[in-house]
Amino acid sequence: MKKLVSHKTILALLLVLVPPYFLMFTDEGMRVSDNVILWLFGEEGVKLNLKELDHAYTREQVLDIFPDLNWHCVDEQTSFGSSLCSAPVASFNDYPARRLTFFFGDGNVSAMKILYREQYHAQFTGHLIEQLGQPDNVADAIKDSPDAAPVLEWDTGKGIVLQKKELAETDEPAVFWLARVR
């Protein structure tokens, strides 16, 4: 008499095979795996609600909010202010990232830049849409013409969030937040 494969055996095989499949072959699984690996190598993750970021924050407050980051601050004139603080990060809002930089003008936040990992561009765009809603210029961005807007824009009331719609090979995968100074 043939021995049939039991339901328990099938369930055991599924429990063994599905997690590695999820972690290695799905976008979400690869993102989770990358975050864990980056964390294991000592990088810190950052969570930041872009709707709440405000020009009123000072350099000291930003450094106090993220005390575990390895900040490197310099007084250097840039297009965004007179000083900046930058730190390597493992993730930004649970998306694998490389570096977080805050720019300061007159001691307050004037801009923020997050460099994320290029393979997560589409997922990062989805996260921004989830957090901030559809871009304010969505009609211009989805035009099927050469004059379509190449940059997605969100107005948070306290600043403007900018991200390239599509990355060219030479583009830096970054999101900018620019303060609205009243």
Side-chain angles (χ1 to χ4, degrees):
M1 187 177 206
K2 284 186 176 180
K3 191 173 184 180
L4 296 175
V5 177
S6 73
H7 295 293
K8 289 181 183 177
T9 305
I10 293 172
L11 181 60
L13 284 171
L14 286 173
L15 289 173
V16 169
L17 297 176
V18 169
Y21 176 84
F22 169 76
L23 292 172
M24 294 183 338
F25 299 112
T26 65
D27 289 341
E28 183 67 11
M30 288 187 286
R31 181 180 69 83
V32 169
S33 298
D34 283 352
N35 279 338
V36 169
I37 290 168
L38 291 166
W39 176 76
L40 287 172
F41 283 106
E43 297 284 332
E44 293 291 331
V46 169
K47 292 193 185 257
L48 179 65
N49 183 346
L50 293 172
K51 286 182 181 179
E52 298 302 319
L53 189 53
D54 193 331
H55 173 68
Y57 287 106
T58 65
R59 178 172 164 169
E60 291 74 29
Q61 288 172 319
V62 169
L63 299 180
D64 286 345
I65 291 170
F66 304 111
D68 295 334
L69 295 181
N70 185 19
W71 290 108
H72 175 71
C73 298
V74 295
D75 292 328
E76 176 181 311
Q77 190 62 43
T78 69
S79 300
F80 303 115
S82 57
S83 68
L84 62 94
C85 291
S86 184
V89 294
S91 65
F92 182 84
N93 293 348
D94 293 327
Y95 289 86
R98 297 183 189 285
R99 180 160 294 280
L100 174 64
T101 304
F102 280 94
F103 299 87
F104 302 94
D106 300 325
N108 292 63
V109 175
S110 57
M112 186 272 310
K113 176 182 176 183
I114 182 70
L115 291 177
Y116 55 90
R117 296 178 188 268
E118 51 279 341
Q119 65 265 36
Y120 297 102
H121 178 73
Q123 287 183 3
F124 206 94
T125 302
H127 168 68
L128 291 174
I129 290 170
E130 183 180 300
Q131 189 180 51
L132 304 171
Q134 288 293 328
D136 297 331
N137 66 337
V138 71
D140 290 334
I142 62 171
K143 283 182 187 175
D144 192 21
S145 69
D147 64 332
V151 175
L152 302 174
E153 300 175 12
W154 291 266
D155 187 341
T156 67
K158 299 175 183 178
I160 305 290
V161 176
L162 304 169
Q163 180 197 34
K164 281 218 168 187
K165 182 173 69 175
E166 294 177 15
L167 293 176
E169 198 171 302
T170 58
D171 287 340
E172 186 176 58
V175 169
F176 281 92
W177 174 88
L178 304 173
R180 172 166 286 143
V181 182
R182 292 178 176 91

